[in-house]
Amino acid sequence: MENRRNHNSTKVPRMSEIFPQAVIADKFVFLSGTPGINPSTGKLSESFEEQTRQAFLNIKTILEEAGSSLEKIVKTTVFMVAGNDFALLNKVYNEIFPANAPARSAPQVMPFPGGILVSVECIALLE
């Protein structure tokens, strides 16, 4: 596919050198799972709510560098370690998307390494 390229931000810590933070293909940006690591400190909060908020801030940075934005997200998948955090997830989701929220799935997953409580992937429009 000639209209495909990988994108990585230097402003957000990468989880792995094996896969990119995002792939831009035609008019879409596909983001890999993005945890809530604070780029300033390189650390995670112990709070699910704060990790979730930071994950979306990291996504915002990656998307804007790629030529998109939070407003252009059409689908998110929020992978949560604890399945009882929906109230906190909904609180943050409403802050990030106060109107016209994207479609969302939120499966519970086995624990991530290093204290990660949530990881968010998404698909956004490029234009």
Side-chain angles (χ1 to χ4, degrees), residues 1-5 23-26:
M1 175 183 265
E2 62 186 61
N3 292 329
R4 179 205 181 280
R5 65 182 166 90
V23 171
I24 299 167
D26 293 324

Side-chain angles (χ1 to χ4, degrees), residues 46-119:
E46 292 182 22
S47 158
F48 172 84
E49 182 177 345
E50 288 304 314
Q51 283 192 30
T52 303
R53 190 172 286 111
Q54 186 63 57
F56 279 106
L57 292 173
N58 292 346
I59 285 169
K60 179 180 188 290
T61 299
I62 295 166
L63 284 175
E64 288 176 355
E65 282 188 11
S68 188
S69 67
L70 288 174
E71 293 77 23
K72 294 181 181 179
I73 295 174
V74 294
K75 172 71 168 79
T76 64
T77 305
V78 181
F79 299 97
M80 304 186 304
V81 171
N84 60 349
D85 290 329
F86 279 103
L88 294 173
L89 173 58
N90 289 339
K91 176 183 175 188
V92 174
Y93 212 74
N94 193 49
E95 289 172 14
I96 302 297
F97 306 107
N100 205 21
R104 180 184 88 191
S105 299
Q108 182 177 1
V109 296
M110 297 296 291
F112 291 107
I116 296 171
L117 301 175
V118 62
S119 179

